[in-house]
Amino acid sequence: MIVNRVDVEKFKETVEKARKDPATGKKTMEVEGEWRIGKTGPQFESKIKTEKGGEITLQSDETLILGGGGTAPNPVQYCIYGLIACYAATFAKWAAIEGIVLKSFKIKATSNMDLTGAFGVTQNPILEHLKWEMIVDSDAGMDKLNRLNEIAKERCPGYYCVTHEIIPEIKIIKQ
C-alpha cells in the first residue's frame, strides 16, 4: 500500500526488523567529492550511487562574491535542501504510518547568514535563525499535524544533525 508516496508495508517491515534486531537499523553513509581543479563550471562534484537510479552527479559552486562562478547550487543551499528533504521524508513516512493522507506538502526554508564569521572577521555565528514553514493540505486536524511534527523532530536524521553537536574527524592524506 502506497500512501504519500511511501511504501507503508516496506517501511513497517523495516521498523519491525530494527525493533527485533537494532543492528539492522545501522548503515554507513559515504559520500566522496572532488574540487574540480583545472576545469570550468561548478567548483565541486560528487557522484552519488543510488539503489535503483544509478549514479547521479551533484555539483556545487560558490556564489560570485565568494570567488565561485555561481553556476550551481552553493554548499549551504545543499545543506538546507538536505535538511528539509530529510524532514519532509520523515514527516510524510510517519503521516503514512498514521494513515494521514497528504494532498500536498511543501516546505520553505529561510536562514540568515553572517559571512563575517566565515571570512575570519568576527566570531559571529555564520548561520542563524533557520526556520521553515510547512504548507500541508490534509484532512487531518492541526492537533494530528502538530503531533506528527513532534515525531519528525524526534526521528529525522537531518534534524538530529543540526540539533546535536557532531564533530567530524578530519584526516588529511598527502599525495
Side-chain angles (χ1 to χ4, degrees), residues 104-115:
S104 70
F105 177 32
K106 295 179 183 179
I107 299 181
K108 177 184 177 184
T110 58
S111 184
N112 298 324
M113 285 186 72
D114 182 344
L115 292 172

Side-chain angles (χ1 to χ4, degrees), residues 36-91:
R36 301 176 73 231
I37 303 286
K39 296 180 181 176
T40 60
Q43 295 168 311
F44 190 78
E45 180 176 284
S46 289
K47 295 192 183 304
I48 310 290
K49 291 181 177 131
T50 68
E51 291 173 297
K52 291 181 73 177
E55 190 173 78
I56 296 173
T57 300
L58 298 179
Q59 295 180 322
S60 69
D61 203 1
E62 285 284 17
T63 63
L64 297 173
I65 66 166
L66 296 180
T71 62
N74 69 56
V76 176
Q77 287 174 310
Y78 273 121
C79 181
I80 294 171
Y81 167 82
L83 181 60
I84 66 171
C86 189
Y87 203 84
T90 303
F91 190 90

